[in-house]
């Protein structure tokens, strides 16, 4: 869309936003709020076209900001996406960045320079509230969950953290505030294991009669709140979360952080990572049954409510014009992700990935092409951008805005795309590398999509997702005429395939990497 324009010339912005030296009196340092959803697909929000579910608060953001239609997260699952976003480095470059267990050690180690460090260097107060899923502590499985687990987000640039260690479907099922379990009773210590159960503790596998929500696959270990999880835990009863309250707890802590920052007069960077709409989907009673799509749709309403609550807070505190709000998701949509929650049965004709093929876990566009909105009221002209955009670029782009120089070697895959984030009439990225659950890589230039032949199953049979793996054939799609990647035109377009393949190889070779193009470990 070429009719969009940034209201102020960018040069002025870069200067004025950080030094007040510009002619226009722009805020010195706008607050930056990331609302990072879990597993929300491109088609899950009404601003992206669905009529089967209504997300009015997100829609308001979209109508007041730029809605991106070709924005990608770093990978088709959570941990690598979050790793990539916070480090500005593709996760496939590093071993050990796959879906993290609940007792994984910190994946981003303290010596790394992160997006949060960058905001701190710019004078911001920084926080992460919500789903973490990047490991805690320095040794997998050896954390003392009753003490302060270190390292934690405060060691990679976050002044404040209120997080779920991993996911709602993984133990430990309690919030951690600045590294410490919230609400723990010293007389009832908590223990976590991913190796074996604690004697006498019930599990979903052995005690299905205790469950109120049954797994469809996996998720049959420790039972918390009548829901069996991945991993074992024991004790810590007073600290266990009630699934229905997770979203409200996250929202309330986000709101409190915003209030505290406002009172301090410092600008803030808040990474608000929702648990919605990840499994187990157990939204608060006030949303249960409201969407008509079952818990998955109800969780979307809960997500939308969180968006509404934080926006209300910004308005109440007069921070509305002075806060850049970015909304996106950590990977594409999945319908049955391990619990019998009727998501499949009640889906109707809802298309959670929009027109895109695959979904969470996949090399197809449904894996990483996610909802993305940027709103900066009064500064960024509302509209729609079809530019090719990557979450990895938030790092270098906001560094540019804040006038921070990223240390050499940090954020190697992050491009300064500030102009394109703030003005849809500029060009966006030239290429993006996409990563699926098998760590197989593909590449798009926005129009063409090349998926090299690579080992791996065609389907995730458990979730019923097409993964895009084809050991025998290269795949090439013209996303302009075939956004659903149905018509493989690789054979007829050998030159294009050659070109994209060499670009992908170049990208892989450009930095550290431990896997080959095919996802295999390098010899
Ligand atoms: C998978 C889980 C799935 C989900 C996913 C991580 C099974 C069978 N499936 O291994 O339920 O937890 O990991 O999701 O255990 S993510 O959005 O955090 O990447
Ligand atoms: Ca996710």
């Amino acid at each position: 869309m070429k009719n969009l324009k940034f209201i102020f010339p960018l040069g002025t912005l870069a200067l004025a936003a950080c030094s007040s030296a510009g002619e226009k009196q722009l805020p010195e340092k706008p607050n930056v709020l990331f609302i990072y959803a879990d597993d929300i697909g491109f088609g899950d929000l009404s601003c992206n076209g669905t009529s089967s579910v209504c997300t009015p608060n997100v829609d308001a953001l979209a109508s007041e900001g730029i809605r991106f239609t070709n924005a990608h997260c770093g990978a088709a699952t959570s941990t690598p996406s979050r790793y990539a976003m916070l480090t500005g480095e593709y996760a496939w470059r590093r071993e050990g960045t796959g879906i993290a267990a609940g007792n994984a050690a910190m994946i981003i180690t303290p010596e790394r320079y992160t997006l949060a460090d960058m905001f701190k260097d710019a004078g911001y107060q920084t926080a992460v509230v919500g789903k973490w899923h990047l490991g805690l502590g320095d040794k997998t499985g050896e954390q003392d969950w009753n003490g302060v687990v270190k390292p934690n987000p405060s060691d990679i640039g976050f002044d404040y953290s209120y997080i779920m260690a991993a996911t709602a479907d993984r133990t430990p099922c309690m919030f951690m505030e600045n590294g410490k379990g919230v609400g723990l009773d010293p007389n009832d210590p908590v223990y976590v294991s991913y190796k074996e159960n604690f004697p006498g503790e019930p599990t979903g596998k052995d005690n299905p009669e205790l469950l109120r929500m049954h797994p469809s696959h996996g998720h049959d270990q420790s039972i918390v709140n009548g829901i069996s999880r991945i991993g074992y835990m024991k004790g810590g009863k007073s600290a266990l979360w009630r699934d229905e309250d997770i979203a409200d707890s996250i929202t309330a802590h986000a709101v409190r952080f915003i209030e505290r920052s406002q009172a301090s007069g410092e600008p803030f960077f808040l990474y608000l990572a929702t648990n919605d709409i990840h499994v187990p989907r157990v939204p608060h009673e006030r949303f249960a049954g409201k969407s008509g799509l079952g818990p998955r749709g109800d969780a979307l309403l809960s997500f939308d409510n969180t968006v509404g609550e934080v926006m209300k807070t910004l308005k109440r505190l007069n921070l509305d014009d002075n806060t850049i709000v970015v909304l996106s998701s950590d990977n594409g949509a999945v319908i049955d992700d391990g619990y019998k929650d009727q998501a499949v049965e009640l889906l109707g004709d809802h298309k959670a990935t929009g027109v895109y093929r695959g979904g969470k876990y996949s090399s197809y566009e449904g894996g990483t092409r996610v909802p993305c909105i940027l709103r900066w009221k009064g500064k960024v002209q509302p509209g729609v951008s079809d530019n090719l955009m990557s979450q990895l670029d938030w790092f270098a782009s906001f560094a540019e805005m804040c006038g921070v120089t990223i240390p050499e070697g940090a954020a190697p895959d992050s491009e300064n795309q500030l102009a394109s984030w703030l003005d849809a009439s500029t060009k966006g990225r030239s290429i993006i590398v996409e990563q699926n659950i098998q760590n197989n890589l593909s590449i798009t230039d926005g129009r063409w999509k090349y998926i090299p032949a690579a080992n791996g199953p065609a389907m995730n049979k458990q979730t019923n997702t097409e993964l895009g793996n084809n050991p025998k054939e290269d795949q090439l799609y013209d996303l302009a005429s075939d956004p659903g990647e149905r018509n493989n035109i690789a054979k007829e377009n050998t030159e294009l395939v050659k070109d994209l393949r060499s670009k992908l190889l170049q990208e892989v070779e450009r930095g550290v990497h431990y896997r080959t193009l095919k996802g295999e470990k390098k010899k």
Side-chain angles (χ1 to χ4, degrees):
M1 307 272 155
K2 302 286 169 222
N3 59 343
L4 288 166
K5 257 193 26 232
F6 184 63
I7 293 169
F8 302 102
L10 270 178
T12 320
L13 167 84
L15 250 163
C18 292
S19 68
S20 79
E23 284 170 27
K24 308 259 186 216
Q25 276 307 303
L26 283 178
E28 281 198 274
K29 283 173 190 159
N31 305 304
V32 178
L33 166 62
F34 285 5
I35 304 175
Y36 205 62
D38 200 350
D39 294 0
I40 292 188
F42 186 87
D44 276 324
L45 302 171
S46 38
C47 61
N48 281 347
T50 184
S51 54
S52 41
V53 70
C54 191
T55 50
N57 291 303
V58 178
D59 292 7
L61 267 191
S63 67
E64 294 163 358
I66 302 180
R67 183 171 62 85
F68 294 89
T69 64
N70 200 359
H72 293 254
C73 49
T77 56
S78 154
T79 303
S81 259
R82 288 162 205 265
Y83 172 91
M85 193 256 285
L86 291 176
T87 63
E89 178 182 74
Y90 283 123
W92 44 262
R93 297 201 185 279
R94 302 276 178 175
E95 197 158 9
T97 51
I99 297 173
N103 67 347
M106 275 262 282
I107 288 167
I108 305 173
T109 43
E111 74 279 5
R112 298 289 298 271
Y113 187 80
T114 68
L115 178 71
D117 287 319
M118 186 282 291
F119 276 113
K120 262 181 85 79
D121 284 350
Y124 281 61
Q125 297 215 3
T126 56
V128 52
V129 175
K131 171 174 173 174
W132 181 239
H133 210 191
L134 286 165
L136 289 171
D138 58 1
K139 287 210 179 71
T140 295
E142 292 185 21
Q143 300 88 347
D144 173 5
W145 294 99
N146 302 290
V148 177
V149 180
K150 267 188 91 60
N152 61 47
S154 70
D155 298 290
I156 59 165
F158 291 100
D159 296 318
Y160 175 73
S161 61
Y162 179 82
I163 55 171
M164 309 160 76
T167 58
D169 58 348
R170 286 174 173 76
T171 61
C173 299
M174 63 177 184
F175 281 100
M176 309 285 297
E177 190 167 36
N178 299 327
K180 203 165 175 348
V182 178
L184 275 173
D185 174 355
N187 297 317
D188 179 26
V190 63
Y191 301 98
V192 176
S193 169
Y194 274 72
K195 285 203 183 110
E196 56 196 359
N197 192 18
F198 299 95
E201 295 294 312
T203 62
K205 183 162 179 277
D206 295 331
N207 307 88
E209 73 284 358
L210 298 179
L211 299 179
R212 59 169 166 147
M213 185 186 261
H214 291 260
S216 55
H217 51 269
H219 304 96
D220 61 356
Q221 298 176 340
S222 280
I223 301 175
V224 175
N225 287 330
I227 300 165
S228 46
R229 321 269 165 165
I230 307 170
Y232 301 101
M233 74 182 292
K234 175 189 161 176
K237 291 274 183 295
S238 55
L240 299 177
W241 61 52
R242 196 178 81 101
D243 295 78
E244 289 86 341
D245 295 331
I246 291 176
D248 285 344
S249 182
I250 289 172
T251 305
H253 283 81
V255 166
R256 254 173 259 158
F257 170 75
I258 295 172
E259 288 169 346
R260 281 200 304 275
S261 311
Q262 198 249 7
S264 79
E266 302 284 318
F268 70 79
F269 164 60
L270 170 58
Y271 167 35
L272 165 52
T274 71
N275 167 56
D276 288 324
I277 61 166
H278 199 276
V279 296
R281 302 166 185 133
V282 194
H284 191 267
E285 288 82 353
R286 66 191 191 282
F287 303 112
K290 293 286 156 61
S291 68
L293 295 179
R296 186 175 185 279
D298 301 342
L300 280 166
L301 302 185
S302 170
F303 174 77
D304 189 63
N305 174 71
T306 295
V307 174
E309 288 302 314
V310 292
M311 292 314 293
K312 237 192 270 171
T313 305
L314 295 180
K315 285 175 191 144
R316 168 167 60 83
L317 299 175
N318 245 336
L319 298 173
D320 195 24
D321 295 354
N322 193 21
T323 302
I324 299 179
V325 182
V326 182
L327 180 148
S328 198
S329 183
D330 72 335
N331 52 250
V334 58
I335 310 304
D336 175 353
D337 205 17
Y339 290 94
K340 292 179 182 165
D341 62 5
Q342 290 214 290
V344 175
E345 293 82 345
L346 298 174
L347 190 64
D349 55 11
H350 177 62
K351 302 267 180 297
T353 58
V355 297
Y356 305 111
R357 189 173 178 180
K360 178 176 180 176
Y361 308 112
S362 177
S363 287
Y364 292 124
E365 290 292 284
T368 61
R369 193 191 282 220
V370 286
C372 188
I373 296 165
L374 184 144
R375 173 193 185 268
W376 191 7
K377 204 169 152 227
K379 308 295 181 303
V380 164
Q381 194 151 321
V384 178
S385 162
D386 304 329
N387 283 335
L388 184 64
M389 305 298 283
S390 167
Q391 291 177 1
L392 276 81
D393 298 339
W394 290 340
F395 198 142
S397 305
F398 285 112
E400 168 75 13
M401 182 188 82
C402 296
V404 172
T405 305
I406 298 174
E408 208 177 324
D413 298 308
S414 188
E415 288 180 13
N416 169 17
Q417 291 285 346
L418 183 64
S420 313
W421 287 112
L422 302 180
D423 177 354
S425 68
T426 50
K427 210 172 139 288
R429 267 202 170 227
S430 54
I431 54 155
I432 278 179
V433 178
E434 299 178 39
Q435 172 184 2
N436 82 353
I437 179 71
Q438 278 78 26
N439 297 308
N440 288 334
L441 306 182
S442 51
I443 185 169
T444 181
D445 63 6
R447 164 142 193 213
W448 304 101
K449 168 80 173 279
Y450 168 59
I451 310 176
N455 291 328
M459 292 289 293
N460 179 338
K461 290 201 177 115
Q462 296 179 317
T463 61
N464 195 26
T465 310
E466 292 183 290
L467 295 169
N469 303 314
N470 185 332
K472 299 212 180 82
E473 277 189 357
D474 279 346
Q475 298 172 69
L476 178 74
Y477 299 98
D478 178 357
L479 299 175
S481 62
D482 178 26
E485 297 168 280
R486 293 286 156 197
N487 189 15
N488 181 5
I489 52 171
K491 287 206 177 86
E492 307 89 285
N493 293 278
T494 47
E495 279 308 306
L496 259 173
V497 166
K498 213 169 116 194
D499 177 52
L500 285 166
R501 187 177 177 84
S502 89
K503 284 184 172 139
L504 178 53
L505 268 171
Q506 216 177 14
E507 198 62 3
V508 171
E509 302 287 340
R510 198 172 55 78
V512 190
H513 63 107
Y514 81 104
R515 281 179 189 272
T516 66
L517 231 190
K518 284 186 154 191
E520 290 147 356
K521 275 202 189 178
K522 274 199 308 199
K523 304 252 159 50

